Amino acid sequence: MAMIWKFKYGHPFETEAVAEHIKETEEAPPLGTVSLQNGFRWRYELAKDDIVYGLGEAVRGINKRGHRYISHASDDPHHMESTQSLYGAHNFIVIAGEQNFGLFVDHPAKVTFDIGYTCSDILEISCQEADLYLYVIEGETPYEVVKQFRKIIGRSYIPPKFAFGFGQSRWGYRTKEDFRRVADGYRANHIPIDMLYMDIDYMQDFKDFTINGEEFGDFPAFVKEMKERNIRLIPIIDAGVKVEKGYPVYEEGVKNGYFCKREDGSDFVAAVWPGYTHFPDVINPEARRWFGDYYRTLTEQGIEGFWNDMNEPSIFYTPEGLEKFTELMRKFVDGKTDEVPPFYIKYVIMNLANNPKDYAAFYHQAGGQKIRHDKIHNLFGYNMTRAAGEAFERIAPEKRFLMFSRSSYIGMHRYGGIWTGDNKSWWSHILLNLKMMPSLNMCGFLYTGADLGGFGADTTRDLLLRWLALGVFTPLMRNHAALGTREQECYQFEGTEDFRHIIEVRYRLLPYLYSEYMKAALSDDLYFKPLAFEYPGDEMAAQVEDQLMLGSEIMIAPVYTQNARGRYVYLPEEMMFVKFMPDGTIYRKELAAGHHYVEIELNEVPLFIRAGKCIPVADAAESVERIDMGTLQLLGYKDAEYLLYEDDGVHKDYENPANRRLLTNR
């Protein structure tokens, strides 16, 4: 039986991360020790074999021991093993071992998790101000702890079914013809696709909720044209609103006081893509409603999905920061080099963007009070996406919209999914993608995925193929690349048939993947799990970090190493090794529990079916809408049963018994 305690310290900001009412407890936390000197500090002595799970979007392994993580939403496209903060801030951890319990630190400012970094057997959580809620959840197993946490934070976002198709994106598609060319490239090569993503160039001068009229005249007709080809256009919305007279979003925001303010009451200014911008005060419910209603300007033109970006919020520079840099450069130009050491100029340049002083220089309105941004920094992306989610309920309450975000905090999982931010075309980032998935699920984020092939740097054919083979299984499957990098649409490479085959496997498996996603969302469960959650008594399973359980039936073990022809896997029990072969056939071989080396070529997609289980597989299709459920066959062990979840993928009739049917593999 799980137990949940809620402890209040100081005067916490109400983040609304926890959806269920939990009564506050007056006594001391049952585990660890709390110190309120110089802020908040929770300390716990780890046993030798304790594993620490969680933290959602973070670097390194599934087991978080041995590193220091700082929960502070940060725009860092160059993240490596040494990185401490990423785009999301997810303050939930699970300690698994002699005692099984979870901790959620509901504090929207910077929080440090020192997990055996300073001292190998000490877990210490700290923040500068003791204004927070601490939730402690005890359970018999770490899996039970996670499910209890998932229950109290509320149901995870459910996207429309088309959002489980494959999508292509690139920063640099500027015209209708660019999008038509990409659509033609996929359709002519019969590579399945359901979405084309519109990065910042579709806007007029990078202004939110505008269309470049010269390049995208009669936009509704273009949206309709693409949809008739079973392709949805998914535009980006950025956090910054351009400062420009005559621009309605700017004019209305200024008039009604809906933008974040400086301390003197003037509108805060920061430079992002459009130049100088204001940030909508999405913490303020009135401003959030106002900003959210602007999504209607695009939904009325036929748009059914969005991605929110730059919402940490990212800052290129501020007028104040630029002025300081200009003063230094004047001294340098005037020959006063003794007053301006070269290393200091470098320091100032490097800190023009996302400077902590800038985050401490603007304010939000919350409950009639002014609150400094850095005190609630991690809530901005959450509430920007919440603005959209709440607006969709007003725009078309019976309909699902696609929505995912770059920055997030626990609670945002109810309004949208996330992608793991700007990554690189590095082999290490495939492995990082894999390891993030269960941690994000633990924090409520089920609709997740990475930029397949890598956003920055130049991808390679083998890197993209291997990454796509992992992306087959992630709910969000998007190939995305940066301006100036190699073109990485799947038809740009030799051997296009290999790319076609791998993406076809996604569509063949989609009835199963969608079914498992829906069952996980509707029962507050996980879609991806560490092996140890399914095999709690298996010490080896607890050490495996490059294989994941998906749903209740399969294990995935992608190849993530350059030039590899296969990989080693550990099977906690007998499993059926399955490979989807490039000729359309399916290879099957039952393997005993234990260690195996399995061969996996670049154009093969592997998975492992658990003993006594089966999964549904359909014929390939070029879009989600064209999947023929009449072709469904069961793959796996004879006489196994599978509970299929299937709905129309558009509406919200989730509890209808007709959505579930039991299938038997005869």
Side-chain angles (χ1 to χ4, degrees), residues 473-632:
F473 301 100
T474 60
L476 170 61
M477 186 185 187
R478 179 175 78 152
N479 177 345
H480 186 37
L483 184 70
T485 64
R486 178 182 188 176
E487 293 182 334
Q488 64 184 49
E489 295 85 6
C490 294
Y491 56 81
Q492 301 280 9
F493 298 86
E494 61 182 302
T496 303
E497 65 276 7
D498 291 340
F499 292 88
R500 179 191 311 122
H501 165 64
I502 288 179
I503 297 175
E504 282 181 343
V505 173
R506 164 62 165 222
Y507 286 73
R508 296 189 70 182
L509 288 171
L510 202 142
Y512 173 70
L513 302 176
Y514 180 75
S515 182
E516 290 307 300
Y517 184 96
M518 295 301 295
K519 287 188 281 187
L522 296 175
S523 61
D524 301 319
D525 206 337
L526 303 181
Y527 175 88
F528 285 119
K529 297 183 284 287
L531 269 61
F533 278 30
E534 289 288 356
Y535 305 97
D538 189 324
E539 293 184 6
M540 184 62 206
Q543 302 301 313
V544 175
E545 295 221 338
D546 60 354
Q547 303 168 205
L548 299 178
M549 307 306 298
L550 192 165
S552 300
E553 289 76 24
I554 72 171
M555 181 184 77
I556 65 169
V559 177
Y560 53 86
T561 307
Q562 185 175 2
N563 297 320
R565 301 287 295 273
R567 56 161 292 169
Y568 286 94
V569 295
Y570 172 69
L571 306 186
E573 62 175 326
E574 176 194 310
M575 293 186 183
M576 181 182 291
F577 176 42
V578 170
K579 290 192 294 185
F580 288 83
M581 308 300 284
D583 62 0
T585 61
I586 300 175
Y587 169 90
R588 307 165 176 84
K589 183 178 182 180
E590 292 179 22
L591 299 177
H595 297 270
H596 300 268
Y597 179 82
V598 292
E599 294 183 353
I600 305 165
E601 295 294 339
L602 274 172
N603 55 8
E604 298 172 353
V605 179
L607 60 83
F608 297 81
I609 301 176
R610 299 176 66 181
K613 304 282 188 178
C614 66
I615 64 172
V617 177
D619 286 355
E622 291 190 31
S623 66
V624 170
E625 191 171 289
R626 292 183 177 178
I627 294 174
D628 182 358
M629 296 298 284
T631 66
L632 216 59

Side-chain angles (χ1 to χ4, degrees), residues 637-653:
Y637 288 84
K638 189 176 180 181
D639 297 325
E641 293 182 333
Y642 180 74
L643 180 63
L644 179 73
Y645 180 97
E646 181 188 1
D647 59 21
D648 69 3
V650 176
H651 300 98
K652 301 176 181 178
D653 187 19

Side-chain angles (χ1 to χ4, degrees), residues 121-367:
D121 61 352
I122 297 297
L123 165 58
E124 186 171 272
I125 303 172
S126 60
C127 50
Q128 291 184 349
E129 296 180 355
D131 295 310
L132 56 91
Y133 292 111
L134 175 67
Y135 294 82
V136 180
I137 306 170
E138 279 194 296
E140 292 185 7
T141 67
Y143 190 12
E144 181 185 2
V145 169
V146 169
K147 286 193 283 189
Q148 287 299 314
F149 178 65
R150 289 288 315 285
K151 182 179 178 182
I152 68 170
I153 61 175
R155 177 176 288 175
S156 296
Y157 159 76
I158 297 175
K161 195 171 186 178
F162 75 76
F164 290 84
F166 172 74
Q168 179 63 56
S169 183
R170 182 176 177 85
W171 171 24
Y173 298 156
R174 299 177 183 275
T175 68
K176 284 182 183 178
E177 292 311 311
D178 289 337
F179 287 94
R180 287 179 176 134
R181 184 174 63 254
V182 176
D184 290 345
Y186 276 93
R187 289 292 184 237
N189 286 283
H190 301 289
I191 304 172
I193 189 168
D194 270 89
M195 291 160 286
L196 287 176
Y197 291 85
M198 308 184 78
D199 212 316
I200 55 177
D201 293 303
Y202 82 91
M203 302 179 193
Q204 183 67 53
D205 303 323
F206 306 134
K207 292 183 291 189
D208 281 341
F209 310 113
T210 67
I211 304 294
N212 184 326
E214 184 176 336
E215 300 295 351
F216 293 95
D218 197 356
F219 187 62
F222 182 54
V223 174
K224 182 181 179 183
E225 172 193 326
M226 286 291 115
K227 192 172 178 181
E228 286 173 349
R229 303 181 70 179
N230 287 321
I231 294 175
R232 264 81 169 187
L233 296 173
I234 311 297
I236 192 173
I237 302 294
D238 278 347
V241 172
K242 182 175 175 62
V243 174
E244 180 181 281
K245 288 185 178 180
Y247 169 37
V249 187
Y250 165 75
E251 296 279 9
E252 288 179 18
V254 170
K255 178 182 176 181
N256 294 296
Y258 288 154
F259 293 125
C260 296
K261 308 289 185 183
R262 296 187 180 98
E263 190 171 14
D264 64 7
S266 63
D267 291 323
F268 177 74
V269 177
V272 202
W273 295 115
Y276 282 138
T277 68
H278 295 326
F279 292 139
D281 185 3
V282 289
I283 304 300
N284 176 354
E286 290 183 18
R288 186 166 65 240
R289 183 184 181 96
W290 162 76
F291 189 77
D293 281 342
Y294 261 101
Y295 286 81
R296 188 188 299 269
T297 63
L298 292 168
T299 62
E300 288 178 344
Q301 299 183 70
I303 292 298
E304 299 177 80
F306 301 86
W307 49 304
N308 285 345
D309 203 350
M310 305 296 289
N311 54 354
E312 293 70 37
S314 183
I315 295 174
F316 292 172
Y317 58 86
T318 60
E320 295 82 1
L322 195 59
E323 182 179 357
K324 180 178 180 180
F325 172 68
T326 303
E327 288 175 0
L328 287 173
M329 290 308 297
R330 284 198 191 102
K331 289 182 179 180
F332 191 80
V333 171
D334 291 343
K336 300 177 181 179
T337 53
D338 56 328
E339 297 181 26
V340 190
F343 74 85
Y344 187 61
I345 291 179
K346 178 182 178 182
Y347 169 81
V348 172
I349 293 173
M350 291 177 64
N351 285 276
L352 272 176
N354 305 319
N355 191 302
K357 291 183 179 179
D358 292 330
Y359 289 128
F362 66 97
Y363 293 78
H364 299 271
Q365 286 290 326

Side-chain angles (χ1 to χ4, degrees), residues 72-76 86-88 239 309-315 354 359 373 376-381 406-408:
H72 184 259
S74 302
D75 178 7
D76 183 1
L86 281 176
Y87 300 94
D309 203 350
M310 305 296 289
N311 54 354
E312 293 70 37
S314 183
I315 295 174
N354 305 319
Y359 289 128
H373 172 80
I376 55 171
H377 171 75
N378 293 332
L379 295 182
F380 193 94
R406 190 168 78 175
S407 186
S408 58

Side-chain angles (χ1 to χ4, degrees), residues 388-405:
E390 290 173 341
F392 297 151
E393 288 296 319
R394 297 189 294 273
I395 293 167
E398 77 292 342
K399 182 179 178 178
R400 301 182 228 169
F401 287 85
L402 172 58
M403 168 53 66
F404 59 94
S405 171

